[in-house]
Each structure stands twice: as structure tokens, then as C-alpha cells.
Amino acid sequence: MLAEEECMPVDQRMHVDQEPCLTDREGVEQRNANASEMDIDDEQDSPRRGEEERNLIEDDSEDSEQPELEEDSPRQAKEKEGDSVGDEENGSEDSQRPEPEDASEDGTDCEDESDNIITPIHAQARGKQKGKMPEKKQRQGRAPQAPKKPPPRARPKKLPQTVEGCPPPAEDRPAPAEEWGTTGLPQLALEAYTPLMTGSMKVDIPGAQSIAIQAHHQSQLEFLESIIQAARTTASEGCYPSRVKVFQDEQVMTRQDWQCYRTHSIHVLGSRTADISSQEDRMRRFEAEVRKIRYGDLSQRFEVQDLSIDLAEDGCLAQYREATLRQLVDIAKQKEGKAVNTLDIPGTRDTFDYPELSSERVAWDLMTDHKEEYPVAAMRWWLISTGWAHHMIHQDCNGLGTIIHVKTGMKILMIVTPKCEQSDPGSIYRLCRKFQLDRVDTKEFYVEIVVLRPGDKLFLRPRTLHAVITPEPTVVVGGHLYSTLTIKETVWGIYDDFIAGKFFTNTEHRKAPLAVLSCLVNLWYENLVNSLPSDRMETLNGHLPELTDPEQFKDFLEFTTLLELYSVLCKWTYDSRDYQRSAVMERQQVIRNRKRARQLLEWFFCTYQVLDRQTGIEYLRSQVENHFVANQASPGL
């Protein structure tokens, strides 16, 4: 009888199943309606579905005839206890539901009731998903006349995620440490640090009393004492020409004065009436300048360098912390606070306008026609330092020139020049192993001291090695620039940054330099290859190379060689993981710049002749390009 019934069509099987013993005729009618809507053409699933429906109806009839038990048998109590434990593991709240009396033939309990009490439409969907249906349905533990309603499914227990890259469940994760900040760096600790120690050497301040140096650790004192001693030795020898030119007033500087930036850094003195002698007044002004950074919001968080942490014990990366502007103000007000430096607070507005030097800004305004926003966040920044913070010897990244404007406090810059670079500016001595940034050998270096007070501005040339000492809480607004006057040093600085950027620099600006250099090469192309408009001649004076000058012709070749080889200096050339959408756009920009550089060279050799100074013989283009790329300069030119 069962074999014949299983082979019958589904419609006839459902008709045979409708016997008077059913206790829930409405539920069966609903199941018939749902079954008619389902796709039942699958020959493998149809016998199993029929067997499932027949067993379910037989179980219902047994429930209707079974009298209500007043007390559970020992076996039922044991099954309830086991099911209760399973419900607790699965997170189910309904663990007191009656359990079926029968167990499987192998002695194990049947499947969980919450997984089996489902309507046929759900069972069909589940059978199609898993490929098979359960062989026998569990008996429903409900009152004989109660309407049949499936209970909610119990959620399966979450298993630990062991797949690489997936986080563990929340209950298995370690609690985050309180000292970690929102930027992924530990928060700045405000107590339990090594106090400042006073060294045996003093810094000579022009027009003021000498200041005894202070630091948290002996290694820091040794570095400061060595660089101060080197500065005194350089001054006593008297054979080192100053690398900085001083001007009294920025308003009276002529274009010719700005042209000295080709060979010297420029120091413009501010008004000395801004000097404040009272400690309370200095602290009041320091807090006022800090509030200007983010429109009075002192809760902003930034990356800082905690100099109370010893590099010798914890490593250089251990000094990086996260701190709010309020914490920096509170530390500065302490009598014996710790030395803390902010590395880079991105600017929100352009506070500098120097068309005499900033070739990249002039090019940006002319080439983009003000349709694109200048990258202020990368090219303008703020610095905050508490008392006796300092920086080791470094050079600014990406061959950028630097503008430093002291708003309050004092900065002491130690400009460091290797003696071998005095006669050979293109020397790679700074890339040698014996060159160290944490000590200064008076036999190898010249050191010049530049003291910046409130209102002073320093225009630092690219690729200038320098150390910084901040004897009191100081706020500085700064910026970067690319100038045609120093394009050769810019190219060399980009090469240095590629080879040993993490060794030389303390910050990184990756995308902005390429964008502004692209505008600069377009400026050269539009105004050299095409006819120069007469109204631009005065504006672009100093921003276009004078190609009849041999030195500026070398600068021209330096820049075009950089653009030709720029893809060699990009990270995505060596790391495929970095080749994302932004890298694709960057590569397209590199290709366009290389095309412009080749067009500039083609125009130059069609317009000018390159002659030997002694013999007057003309050099071919291949001779000039190949010789220059290999040696960076031809001594015969």
C-alpha cells in the first residue's frame, strides 16, 4: 500500500491523505494550496515530500488519540533535560516544550524540534537547497485542538571564525586598551614620564641670554650638545659662507632680492615689538594661536611625537602618539611638562601668497583656471611644540621648499651641510652608511644656527638638512612650495626621498607633489613651445627657465629627465597591491607628463644649438641626452 501510494501523482496522494482522523483540516487545506503553487516537477523530491506529508498526518492522528500525561516518565524527563541543554547552547528561549517519546534506533536523539516543525512549503524549499529531506518528522507537542502554528526557529550557535582575515566573534575578541586612540595610535600619556634634565651646554641666542639645553634622556642631551658644538666650531673657523640671507622687511624686498633663493635660504625678520617677556602672557598667546588652528575646537586629535619615550629602549615608532589640542595646551602650561611635537597638522586655508617664489602655485592658477582646488591640506600645515621639543637631522620630503612663519614662541634651526657638498652639491654623501642623523661630526659637517622669533619667516631651500630645537611652547604656520629657481635641488630631493625617504624625512605627501609638478610642466610647455602672451611676461618672470644660461639649461634637463623616469620612483611599479584606482589615475598622469617632457626636448633641439665652449662643435641631441642622463651633467657644456 505504501509503495503504491508513493508512486501515485502528487494531486491524488494529497486526496488520499485527507482522512476523517485529521484534527487540523484547515491546516491541511492551506498546505494543499501552498503545494499547488510550488514547482513539483522534480521526480527525485516528490516521493520524499509525499512521505513527509503522510508521516506528519499520521503523527497528528496519534497526538489526537493519546491521553494527556499527568507526570513525565523517567525517560521523558531525561530527554527534556538534554533538550534544555541544547536550547541553552543554541540561544533558544523556549526550552520547556514537550519532547517526543521515541528516540532513533541508534540510541541518539532525533533532530531539534525547532528545525523540523515547518510547513511543507518550507520543507520543499529546504529540500531543494540541501539536496535531501529528513526521513521522519517529529511529533508536535501541542494541545489536541489548538491551531497548528510553527514556533520560531532557534538561531544556530556562532562558531569561531578561523578564516584568515576574518575577525573572531565579539565574545572572543580582546577588550581594546583604553590608551589607544581613534587614529590607530596610542593616546598620549600625561603622567609617569622621565622629567627633563638640564645639560652642561647652552645655546647662544643673538640679542638675548644663552639658554641651557634640556632633554628627557641622556642620548638626547648628547645629540643636542654635539650639534651645538659643531655650530660653535663652524663659527670659530670662519671659512664657511652662510647659506642664509637676512632681510629686514618683506615689504621692501624686490624681485631681485627674491632671486637669491636660487643659492640661499631667505630669513625675513619680523617686528620685534611682538616679543613678550611675561610667562603668563606667552602662555595666553600660545593658547590663542592654538585655538585658531581648528576654529577654537580643542578636541581635535592629531599625531604627535612624545620625546619622553627613549628611542634606545622602545624604538623610533614608539614615540608616535595621538593627542588633542587641549592636551598640548595643558602640557605647555605645566612647569615641568614633557616635550611633545606635532608632526603635521593639515592646513584648512592658504595663508601664503608669494608669487615671486611659488612657481607651482602660479602654474596651478594659470593651468587649471581655478577650476580645481589647490591641495591645501598637503601644501599648508601647522606645527605645535611644547618646551624643549626637538627634531633630529632631516630634510623635507619630495624635494619641497619650506616656508616657516613663527606665530608665537621660538624656533632654533641648525642648518647642516656636509663639507663634501660644499664643492659638489650633487654629492650622494648623505646616502652613505657613515652618515648618521643622531650625531654631528665637526670634521664632516658645517652647522649654522638660525633663530626664529614671533613674526619671523624662513624660506628654506629644498634638500636642506636641518635640526630643530624649540626651547619654549611654539606655534608655527608653514607651507611647501616648488620653485623653478631651485628645480635642480627639487629633483635631487625626490631621488633622495625614493632611496631613503623614511630615513631622511619625518612626514610624507604622496599625491600632491605629482599634481603640482604636472601643472608646472604644463606651464613650461604652454609658454615655451607656444608663444608667450605679453601680459604674462611680468607674471612668469623667474618661473620659466632661461635656456640660454648653461646652468638653467642643466636645470631644464634635470626636470625633463625626472619626468621621463618618474614611473621608476612610484610605489605601484613595485607593489601590485598598491595598484588601485588612485594608482591608475596617477600612472595616467605620469604618462602625460612624460609626453610633455619629450615635446619640450623636441622643441628645444629644433630651436637651439648646443655648442662646445672650446671648439664650437655642435652637440647632437643623442649626445646631450645620453651623456646627461648617465652623468647628470656634461662638463663640456
Side-chain angles (χ1 to χ4, degrees):
M1 177 65 182
L2 291 177
E4 296 177 358
E5 192 172 313
E6 288 178 358
C7 298
M8 293 174 62
V10 176
D11 295 340
Q12 297 182 17
R13 244 188 2 256
M14 296 300 297
H15 178 73
V16 172
D17 288 340
Q18 295 178 2
E19 295 294 334
C21 64
L22 290 177
T23 59
D24 190 1
R25 189 174 301 275
E26 295 179 358
V28 175
E29 294 176 356
Q30 181 64 30
R31 289 196 297 271
N32 290 339
N34 292 338
S36 62
E37 296 176 0
M38 296 293 297
D39 182 11
I40 56 175
D41 297 334
D42 192 346
E43 296 180 359
Q44 295 181 354
D45 291 344
S46 58
R48 294 172 181 168
R49 287 196 298 270
E51 182 182 357
E52 177 195 1
E53 294 168 2
R54 176 172 44 77
N55 292 337
L56 184 61
I57 296 174
E58 293 177 356
D59 292 341
D60 291 341
S61 63
E62 292 178 7
D63 283 341
S64 62
E65 297 174 358
Q66 182 179 1
E68 184 177 356
L69 298 177
E70 297 179 357
E71 184 177 356
D72 293 336
S73 64
R75 182 174 181 179
Q76 289 176 330
K78 183 177 180 180
E79 292 178 354
K80 283 186 176 183
E81 181 180 356
D83 186 73
S84 176
V85 173
D87 288 342
E88 289 179 3
E89 294 178 354
N90 294 334
S92 176
E93 298 179 356
D94 189 9
S95 60
Q96 302 298 327
R97 195 181 301 116
E99 292 293 320
E101 295 182 359
D102 297 337
S104 60
E105 296 179 359
D106 57 354
T108 58
D109 294 337
C110 295
E111 294 182 6
D112 194 309
E113 182 181 2
S114 60
D115 286 339
N116 291 324
I117 301 181
I118 52 178
T119 59
I121 184 172
H122 293 162
Q124 293 172 10
R126 183 183 176 193
K128 290 185 178 182
Q129 180 179 0
K130 293 187 176 181
K132 65 177 182 178
M133 295 294 294
E135 296 182 359
K136 185 176 181 179
K137 277 290 181 181
Q138 295 294 318
R139 183 168 58 252
Q140 304 178 22
R142 54 177 173 77
Q145 300 300 329
K148 189 173 181 178
K149 187 179 295 184
R153 276 177 168 266
R155 295 183 178 179
K157 182 180 179 180
K158 288 186 177 181
L159 297 177
Q161 300 180 15
T162 57
V163 180
E164 184 178 358
C166 297
E171 59 271 13
D172 297 336
R173 298 177 194 167
E178 295 181 355
E179 69 270 11
W180 285 85
T182 58
T183 60
L185 293 172
Q187 292 185 5
L188 181 68
L190 301 181
E191 60 273 338
Y193 57 89
T194 305
L196 289 170
M197 300 183 297
T198 302
S200 59
M201 195 169 291
K202 295 183 178 181
V203 182
D204 298 327
I205 306 298
Q209 295 181 352
S210 300
I211 304 176
I213 60 175
Q214 297 183 25
H216 286 286
H217 304 283
Q218 185 63 33
S219 60
Q220 298 173 354
L221 283 176
E222 292 175 357
F223 164 73
L224 296 178
E225 290 176 354
S226 68
I227 197 171
I228 293 173
Q229 182 60 43
R232 291 179 177 178
T233 303
T234 301
S236 63
E237 290 178 355
C239 59
Y240 172 72
S242 175
R243 303 289 294 271
V244 181
K245 284 206 170 186
V246 181
F247 294 90
Q248 297 294 330
D249 190 358
E250 179 184 336
Q251 302 298 327
V252 298
M253 291 180 63
T254 63
R255 183 174 290 275
Q256 190 66 27
D257 294 334
W258 290 108
Q259 292 290 321
C260 72
Y261 187 67
R262 185 183 298 276
T263 56
H264 292 76
S265 297
I266 298 176
H267 180 195
V268 181
L269 300 178
S271 175
R272 288 294 176 257
T273 57
D275 291 346
I276 301 176
S277 58
S278 172
Q279 179 68 17
E280 295 182 358
D281 292 341
R282 286 200 295 266
M283 287 298 99
R284 190 180 299 110
R285 182 170 179 177
F286 174 79
E287 183 174 356
E289 293 295 338
V290 171
R291 290 184 178 275
K292 293 179 182 179
I293 295 177
R294 285 294 184 268
Y295 308 101
D297 185 7
L298 298 183
S299 63
Q300 294 286 324
R301 296 179 176 271
F302 299 100
E303 182 180 350
V304 300
Q305 182 185 19
D306 185 358
L307 296 172
S308 66
I309 301 174
D310 191 5
L311 291 178
E313 297 180 359
D314 304 311
C316 60
L317 297 180
Q319 288 187 340
Y320 297 120
R321 291 289 186 269
E322 179 191 86
T324 63
L325 298 179
R326 168 57 65 186
Q327 289 176 324
L328 297 177
V329 172
D330 294 341
I331 292 174
K333 291 181 178 179
Q334 296 176 7
K335 186 176 181 180
E336 296 183 356
K338 62 167 59 180
V340 179
N341 258 326
T342 58
L343 299 178
D344 184 11
I345 299 179
T348 56
R349 56 189 181 277
D350 191 358
T351 55
F352 295 112
D353 184 17
Y354 295 99
E356 299 84 0
L357 297 182
S358 300
S359 301
E360 98 291 343
R361 187 57 198 262
V362 174
W364 187 279
D365 293 340
L366 293 177
M367 294 297 101
T368 63
D369 197 19
H370 301 277
K371 294 180 181 179
E372 298 183 22
E373 185 178 355
Y374 183 73
V376 175
M379 305 297 286
R380 302 292 182 261
W381 36 264
W382 295 77
L383 296 179
I384 303 175
S385 303
T386 61
W388 289 110
H390 67 272
H391 279 296
M392 297 291 187
I393 300 174
H394 66 282
Q395 69 183 34
D396 293 330
C397 64
N398 298 109
L400 291 161
T402 304
I403 308 172
I404 301 174
H405 182 198
V406 177
K407 306 296 289 186
T408 182
M410 180 186 297
K411 285 282 185 183
I412 302 175
L413 269 76
M414 306 286 191
I415 297 180
V416 181
T417 305
K419 291 184 178 181
C420 62
E421 294 185 5
Q422 188 70 13
S423 58
D424 182 14
S427 172
I428 59 172
Y429 169 80
R430 63 184 68 190
L431 300 178
C432 299
R433 294 194 174 201
K434 59 182 180 180
F435 178 66
Q436 298 180 355
L437 302 180
D438 57 351
R439 66 186 65 181
V440 179
D441 187 357
T442 56
K443 298 180 181 180
E444 301 289 340
F445 296 95
Y446 292 118
V447 178
E448 182 178 2
I449 296 180
V450 179
V451 179
L452 301 178
R453 296 179 178 178
D456 287 5
K457 296 178 183 178
L458 179 65
F459 298 85
L460 203 62
R461 300 178 74 247
R463 205 171 177 255
T464 300
L465 292 171
H466 60 283
V468 185
I469 303 175
T470 310
E472 62 182 68
T474 303
V475 177
V476 169
V477 56
H480 289 309
L481 61 90
Y482 281 131
S483 177
T484 301
L485 300 175
T486 57
I487 196 65
K488 178 171 59 179
E489 286 76 12
T490 290
V491 173
W492 293 348
I494 293 176
Y495 292 153
D496 292 342
D497 199 43
F498 169 72
I499 297 172
K502 295 182 179 179
F503 177 68
F504 277 131
T505 64
N506 54 3
T507 57
E508 180 182 7
H509 303 295
R510 180 180 171 185
K511 298 180 180 179
L514 178 60
V516 295
L517 286 176
S518 301
C519 290
L520 185 59
V521 68
N522 288 331
L523 178 73
W524 286 18
Y525 175 81
E526 291 294 335
N527 295 278
L528 291 177
V529 178
N530 301 330
S531 59
L532 179 65
S534 58
D535 58 340
R536 289 189 180 181
M537 294 183 62
E538 182 65 23
T539 304
L540 298 180
N541 185 16
H543 301 302
L544 298 176
E546 183 59 47
L547 297 179
T548 56
D549 183 355
E551 292 300 323
Q552 296 191 42
F553 171 60
K554 292 179 183 179
D555 296 347
F556 174 80
L557 291 179
E558 290 274 7
F559 189 46
T560 54
T561 302
L562 170 70
L563 299 179
E564 180 71 29
L565 304 176
Y566 201 92
S567 59
V568 180
L569 310 176
C570 295
K571 183 179 179 181
W572 40 261
T573 303
Y574 308 95
D575 189 357
S576 59
R577 295 173 298 179
D578 193 59
Y579 198 86
Q580 301 173 355
R581 177 179 175 84
S582 58
V584 173
M585 299 176 63
E586 184 176 331
R587 183 173 180 270
Q588 294 173 349
Q589 188 64 61
V590 169
I591 294 174
R592 289 192 292 268
N593 292 346
R594 183 164 58 242
K595 177 182 177 181
R596 284 288 187 236
R598 294 176 180 179
Q599 291 173 338
L600 282 170
L601 288 172
E602 182 70 25
W603 165 83
F604 173 81
F605 286 101
C606 292
T607 308
Y608 294 92
Q609 289 180 329
V610 182
L611 305 177
D612 188 279
R613 286 180 175 177
Q614 298 178 354
T615 63
I617 300 177
E618 180 180 359
Y619 283 98
L620 299 178
R621 175 179 177 179
S622 59
Q623 293 175 315
V624 175
E625 286 188 278
N626 296 341
H627 188 75
F628 186 84
V629 171
N631 300 281
Q632 292 297 301
S634 176
L637 295 179

